[in-house]
Amino acid sequence: GLQPVYSSSQVQSNNSNPSYPPMPAAAATTTAKSARLASTTPTGPAPWIFTQPGAKSNITIGCILPFEGPQQVVGEASMTALHMAIKDWAPKLLPSTNINLTCLNGKCQDVAAYSAMTRLAQDKVVAVVGEVCSGASVAAAGVANDKKIPMISPASTSASLSQKDYFFRTVPSDRYQGVALAKLMYQNGARAVGLVYEDSTYGYGLSFNFIAAFTNAGGTVPTIYKFAKGTPGDPQAAVQQMLAAKRNETNRINAVFVSTNNLDFVAGLLKASKAADLDLPIYGGDSEASPALFSKVQGSQSDILKLVATMPSPGTDAFVKDFAKYSNKQSYSPHAAHAYDAMVVLLRSLAAAKSRDGPSVTAEMSTQKIKGVSGPIIQFDEFGDLVAGPNAYAWIKFDPASGQPVTLGHIDARRRYQLLL
């Protein structure tokens, strides 16, 4: 795990490995564990079939998204966006093809996502959109690579997914999000930060990249609270540790950064922070930008209004309006825009490929360059990562009346600090 870091000289650089930082030990064994436990029968909504007049062929596109748990809103909004993209673009790009969209519940969990990907491979899907959580995507990508099935995520950001393989994503890697958070916090006056993180693929990876960027800018991270992946953690203990660090005369913290997609833990921490009068700005990544977090603390005393989070560009105003109209005002998630763009990339690639086998479609995906509804120009580097643009990240706070994230500005994370080049 991580230890307190006081200067950039204590962080080792590895310029030759695009997957840097490495996964924690628990995540590194995800695929093997999933293989042993893959007896789980995947479930999901009924297949959604888009038929076209005079169609001469049929294809099945899979999706693996969370339809329960803290990220359910993200999963449901992303699936709606996939429907929108198919309706908008299939008649233009694949006019003689019926499309079966089969979505399975990945639960934001490694075993469920592994089982879902195994099932979709058996169903002979031509490509898959998903997952949302990085650990789930790591597990599913193992199957995708083995079966040579293109896979594209609208939300998974862990740097451990940056490989030359069949995995792509329409959100920037945490190699960039860590920098975006470091720049935002430093510009807002943070100099000594208390870190609270989950030892998971997402939590560890984002934390490590944040530390590298923040210390290289001159900041320090004198105290770290870590809790094990898949456990509830102890929000009260985390707050007490941060409170002690705030009172430390030698290296007093003046901000807190939380890195986890366990929203129950974050909700508990925000309540405990208010009760203990921690009175520090609290920052989080894209997981903390979810309206589901606001719902978890609604009606309780908490520091939710002190929270500032970063997230990938939340979608153009036109798309947000189109989503509300199409879905009859379904709860929106910024990742819906990235899901829409992921499907557009797949449809364009399927239309351009000489055949619909995985290697041919993947080759076309790597050449795509489109102006997406998620804001940035969608194009990929050699590792399937989105090439970050100047507005790739927004920073938000929650509207106390609606509980929705409100964009307050954008952060250009393209000029990464030297350690991450």
Side-chain angles (χ1 to χ4, degrees), residues 1-2 23-37 106-114 131 133-140 158 160 196-205 207 225-234 259-263 265:
L2 299 174
M23 291 182 290
T29 60
T30 290
T31 301
K33 178 178 71 174
S34 299
R36 295 194 300 270
L37 301 177
K107 303 181 182 180
C108 263
Q109 297 174 5
D110 51 8
V111 173
Y114 181 97
E131 227 263 9
C133 293
S134 291
S137 284
V138 168
S158 172
S160 65
V196 178
Y197 84 101
E198 180 182 7
D199 194 18
S200 63
T201 305
Y202 172 81
Y204 173 90
S207 297
Y225 174 88
K226 177 182 76 171
F227 66 100
K229 171 188 173 183
T231 67
D234 189 338
S259 181
T260 175
N261 52 26
N262 183 336
L263 297 187
F265 175 87

Side-chain angles (χ1 to χ4, degrees), residues 68-90:
E68 61 181 90
Q71 302 300 333
Q72 181 177 351
V73 169
V74 179
E76 292 175 346
S78 295
M79 185 176 70
T80 296
L82 298 181
H83 294 177
M84 293 172 63
I86 292 172
K87 281 195 165 187
D88 289 347
W89 290 95

Side-chain angles (χ1 to χ4, degrees), residues 236-256:
Q236 287 78 17
V239 167
Q240 288 304 311
Q241 185 173 327
M242 298 302 115
L243 194 60
K246 178 186 175 183
R247 295 167 176 165
N248 188 313
E249 295 294 335
T250 59
N251 202 354
R252 179 177 296 157
I253 66 170
N254 64 348
V256 174

Side-chain angles (χ1 to χ4, degrees), residues 141-180:
V143 181
N145 291 326
D146 183 57
K147 301 297 184 181
K148 299 182 179 179
I149 299 171
M151 178 179 174
I152 184 166
S153 172
S156 294
T157 56
S158 172
S160 65
L161 288 159
S162 299
Q163 306 285 344
K164 292 182 179 180
D165 56 15
Y166 288 83
F167 181 85
F168 293 75
R169 49 184 155 192
T170 52
V171 288
S173 161
D174 280 338
R175 290 183 294 150
Y176 292 97
Q177 183 167 207
V179 172

